[in-house]
C-alpha cells in the first residue's frame, strides 16, 4: 500500500481525472515522484467500478482502491444489505475470507464486532484504512489465515462465521463445492464447534441441489439477482436446524426488492394449470429460475403456464408485482402462420422450450436484433410450436 496516494494533491488529481480512461492514464507520465502512472490508473479504475457497484465508497473521501480483481470479486452494496438482514444485532462475526470488506462493513453495522481475516497483507492494510474513512470502528482487520484464526478460538465463542470460498484454485476454475478454497464441506464440523451459524456465499454457477446435499443444517437459501444478473447464492446454516430449507429468490434493482419464498417440497406438490396465451405474458427473473420456483411463482401470482416445461406464464389480469419482465400480448401465430406473415425485420427474439436457438431463429426468419417488438418462440400446452408477439410493459 503506497500511502503517498493518500496525499491531498494526489487525491485532488485523481478526483479531477477520474472520468478518464484508466488505460490511457497508465501510459501518461505521472506528475508525482512517489506515485506511478499505473498506480494512478488503478485508483481511477477502482473509482469507476465503485461508482456503479459501491456508491458509498465512491462518494467517500480518501478511499484507497485495491487491484481490479479484488473489486471484481467483492459483493455489491445491494447484495451486502441482504446479508446484513440475516444476522442478529450485537453478534460476533468472523469473516474468514476477507477480501475488499464490503460484506464485513455492512455486517458490522448490525454486529458488535466483525473480525476481517485476509491473507493478502496489502489488501488487509487497505481494508483497515478504508474502514477508518468510512467510520466502521467495530471492524477489526487482521492479516491472517481465517481458518486458522477460527480454529484457535474457544468453542461457541463466535455467533456467525461468514465465508466466501474461492472458485479459482491455482488460477483454474473449479466447479465442485469441495474443490473451492477454503473447503467449506470439510470445515463445517469444526466451524460448528466455534459458532452456531455459518453464512456461506457461493457462485451462482454452483449447483443448488448438490450444495444442499453437502452442506449441513441449511435453514435458509437466498438466490440473489441484481438488474437481471444472478449474482450469488447465500446459504445460512444453523447447527440446531433439522427441517427443510426455505428457499428465497430475491430480485434486486436500483429502487426495488422483490422476493418469493418456498420449499422444494412445496414446489414439487404445487399444481399449476396450463393455458393458451391470454392478455399478458410473464418471463421470470433469473433468480426465480435458478432457485427452481417454476410452479411456486405461478401459484404466488395466480398465473397459468404455457406448458409444463415452458417457463413462461400468462393471465388476463395484470400482476404488476411479478418477479420478472411483463409483456402485453399483441398477437399469437402458429409457426406456419408466422412463416407466411413475418413482417418483423427487427425484433427482440427469445426461445423457451423450442427446438432451435435464438441465433438460428434470427437467421431462418431474417430478423435483426433490437426495436420495441418482442417475439417469443415457444412450445404451448398442446405441444405446438407458436410465436408470441408482445410489447414490454415492465
Amino acid at each position: 500500500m503506497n500511502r503517498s496516494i493518500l496525499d491531498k494533491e494526489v487525491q485532488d488529481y485523481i478526483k479531477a481525472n477520474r472520468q478518464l480512461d484508466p488505460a490511457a492514464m497508465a501510459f501518461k507520465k505521472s506528475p508525482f515522484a512517489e506515485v506511478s502512472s499505473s498506480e494512478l490508473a488503478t485508483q481511477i479504475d477502482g473509482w469507476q467500478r465503485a461508482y456503479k457497484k459501491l456508491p458509498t465508497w465512491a462518494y467517500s473521501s480518501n478511499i484507497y482502491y485495491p487491484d481490479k480483481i479484488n473489486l471484481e470479486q467483492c459483493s455489491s452494496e445491494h447484495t451486502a444489505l441482504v446479508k446484513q438482514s440475516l444476522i442478529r444485532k450485537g453478534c460476533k462475526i468472523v469473516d474468514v475470507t476477507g477480501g475488499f470488506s464490503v460484506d464485513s462493513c455492512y455486517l458490522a453495522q448490525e454486529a458488535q464486532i466483525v473480525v476481517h481475516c485476509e491473507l493478502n497483507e496489502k489488501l488487509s492494510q487497505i481494508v483497515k484504512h478504508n474502514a477508518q474513512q468510512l467510520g466502521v470502528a467495530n471492524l477489526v482487520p487482521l492479516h491472517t489465515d481465517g481458518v486458522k484464526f477460527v480454529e484457535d478460538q474457544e468453542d461457541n465463542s463466535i455467533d456467525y462465521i461468514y465465508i466466501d470460498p474461492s472458485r479459482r484454485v491455482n488460477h483454474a476454475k473449479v466447479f465442485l463445492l469441495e474443490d473451492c478454497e477454503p473447503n467449506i464441506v470439510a470445515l463445517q464440523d469444526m466451524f460448528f464447534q466455534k459458532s452456531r451459524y455459518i453464512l456461506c456465499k457461493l457462485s451462482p454457477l454452483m449447483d443448488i441441489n448438490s450444495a444442499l446435499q453437502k452442506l449441513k443444517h441449511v435453514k435458509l437459501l437466498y438466490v440473489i439477482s441484481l438488474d437481471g444478473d444472478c449474482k450469488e447464492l447465500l446459504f445460512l446454516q444453523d447447527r440446531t436446524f433439522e427441517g427443510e430449507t426455505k428457499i428465497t429468490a430475491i430480485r434486486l434493482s436500483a429502487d426495488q426488492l422483490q422476493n418469493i419464498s418456498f420449499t422444494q417440497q412445496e414446489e414439487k406438490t404445487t399444481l399449476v394449470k396450463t393455458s393458451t396465451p391470454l392478455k399478458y405474458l410473464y418471463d421470470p427473473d433469473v433468480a426465480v429460475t435458478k432457485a427452481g420456483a417454476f410452479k411456486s411463482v405461478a401459484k404466488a401470482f395466480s398465473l397459468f403456464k404455457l406448458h409444463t416445461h415452458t417457463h413462461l406464464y400468462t393471465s388476463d389480469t395484470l400482476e404488476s408485482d411479478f418477479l420478472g419482465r411483463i409483456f402485453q400480448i399483441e398477437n399469437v401465430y402458429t409457426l406456419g402462420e408466422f412463416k407466411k406473415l413475418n413482417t418483423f425485420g427487427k425484433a427482440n427474439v427469445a426461445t423457451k422450450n423450442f427446438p432451435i436457438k435464438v441465433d438460428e431463429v434470427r437467421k431462418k426468419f431474417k430478423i435483426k436484433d433490437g426495436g420495441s417488438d418482442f417475439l417469443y418462440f415457444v412450445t404451448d400446452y398442446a405441444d405446438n410450436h407458436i410465436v408470441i408477439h408482445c410489447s414490454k410493459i415492465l
Side-chain angles (χ1 to χ4, degrees):
M1 180 176 175
N2 182 359
R3 294 197 171 273
S4 295
I5 287 173
L6 299 170
D7 292 346
K8 185 179 184 305
E9 61 269 24
V10 178
Q11 287 291 302
D12 288 345
Y13 180 85
I14 291 169
K15 186 175 182 179
N17 292 277
R18 63 190 183 187
Q19 303 288 354
L20 300 181
D21 178 10
M25 177 63 68
F27 286 102
K28 290 178 64 175
K29 180 174 172 36
S30 171
F32 308 104
E34 303 299 323
V35 181
S36 69
S37 56
S38 64
E39 287 175 318
L40 293 171
T42 295
Q43 295 306 303
I44 290 170
D45 178 76
W47 181 87
Q48 291 175 2
R49 292 174 186 274
Y51 177 77
K52 298 176 182 178
K53 191 175 184 179
L54 308 168
T56 299
W57 274 252
Y59 288 108
S60 297
S61 300
N62 297 320
I63 295 296
Y64 195 114
Y65 294 103
D67 294 335
K68 178 171 69 174
I69 189 169
N70 301 124
L71 283 166
E72 289 175 342
Q73 292 176 345
C74 75
S75 296
S76 68
E77 290 192 55
H78 284 86
T79 58
L81 279 167
V82 176
K83 301 180 187 75
Q84 185 189 81
S85 71
L86 298 180
I87 63 168
R88 287 190 295 105
K89 198 167 186 66
C91 60
K92 297 178 181 178
I93 302 174
V94 175
D95 183 346
V96 174
T97 47
F100 188 49
S101 81
V102 177
D103 289 326
S104 286
C105 284
Y106 273 89
L107 292 171
Q109 292 178 23
E110 291 294 313
Q112 176 188 340
I113 186 172
V114 177
V115 178
H116 175 280
C117 302
E118 175 53 53
L119 282 169
N120 182 323
E121 184 175 9
K122 176 184 174 182
L123 185 56
S124 185
Q125 291 173 351
I126 290 172
V127 167
K128 183 177 181 180
H129 164 79
N130 288 343
Q132 291 169 348
Q133 298 304 306
L134 295 167
V136 188
N138 58 334
L139 179 65
V140 181
L142 298 179
H143 169 225
T144 189
D145 182 324
V147 172
K148 181 71 166 57
F149 178 85
V150 169
E151 200 168 23
D152 290 341
Q153 304 309 299
E154 293 183 5
D155 289 357
N156 301 310
S157 61
I158 306 167
D159 294 309
Y160 294 84
I161 291 171
Y162 175 65
I163 186 165
D164 178 7
S166 173
R167 291 182 63 247
R168 283 199 174 272
V169 179
N170 297 324
H171 305 291
K173 276 190 177 182
V174 296
F175 298 95
L176 297 177
L177 184 55
E178 58 268 35
D179 290 336
C180 297
E181 288 186 351
N183 181 349
I184 181 63
V185 178
L187 290 169
Q188 56 188 330
D189 286 339
M190 185 270 285
F191 282 175
F192 277 135
Q193 290 178 2
K194 311 297 180 180
S195 171
R196 174 173 170 176
Y197 300 103
I198 303 170
L199 183 57
C200 183
K201 170 188 168 183
L202 296 181
S203 161
L205 298 177
M206 197 67 66
D207 181 80
I208 285 176
N209 289 323
S210 175
L212 287 174
Q213 289 172 2
K214 293 170 183 176
L215 296 177
K216 302 176 181 180
H217 311 298
V218 179
K219 184 176 184 178
L220 302 173
L221 164 59
Y222 288 79
V223 182
I224 306 172
S225 76
L226 177 60
D227 295 330
D229 185 15
C230 195
K231 292 295 186 182
E232 58 193 53
L233 309 178
L234 276 181
F235 293 79
L236 179 65
Q237 298 170 258
D238 176 350
R239 71 183 180 200
T240 68
F241 181 74
E242 297 294 345
E244 186 177 6
T245 303
K246 178 182 174 183
I247 302 172
T248 299
I250 297 181
R251 182 195 189 203
L252 297 172
S253 58
D255 58 353
Q256 193 176 36
L257 185 154
Q258 298 169 286
N259 65 79
I260 179 174
S261 297
F262 65 102
T263 66
Q264 289 187 330
Q265 181 62 24
E266 289 170 346
E267 171 69 17
K268 184 179 178 180
T269 57
T270 293
L271 298 176
V272 177
K273 293 181 179 179
T274 56
S275 170
T276 57
L278 301 173
K279 188 174 181 180
Y280 300 103
L281 184 74
Y282 304 83
D283 190 351
D285 182 72
V286 64
V288 174
T289 56
K290 177 65 181 181
F294 302 115
K295 292 190 285 185
S296 298
V297 76
K299 179 183 177 182
F301 294 96
S302 301
L303 305 176
F304 297 98
K305 289 196 79 176
L306 296 188
H307 182 284
T308 303
H309 303 299
T310 301
H311 303 313
L312 290 170
Y313 307 84
T314 191
S315 71
D316 270 326
T317 56
L318 178 62
E319 298 293 336
S320 59
D321 291 332
F322 179 78
L323 280 75
R325 299 190 298 172
I326 306 174
F327 302 87
Q328 182 168 311
I329 296 175
E330 308 292 346
N331 287 292
V332 180
Y333 306 99
T334 67
L335 205 55
E337 288 172 338
F338 187 80
K339 287 177 182 177
K340 293 177 184 177
L341 301 174
N342 177 26
T343 57
F344 296 93
K346 193 177 197 181
N348 301 278
V349 175
T351 60
K352 300 275 186 173
N353 190 21
F354 198 74
I356 61 176
K357 303 298 182 186
V358 170
D359 288 346
E360 297 174 76
V361 168
R362 290 192 180 285
K363 184 176 180 181
K364 183 174 182 177
F365 295 104
K366 298 181 174 59
I367 304 171
K368 293 181 180 179
D369 187 26
S372 59
D373 292 303
F374 288 78
L375 298 173
Y376 277 86
F377 290 73
V378 306
T379 301
D380 71 6
Y381 75 102
D383 290 324
N384 297 313
H385 295 145
I386 62 172
V387 183
I388 304 173
H389 168 217
C390 48
S391 52
K392 190 176 179 183
I393 299 174
L394 293 168

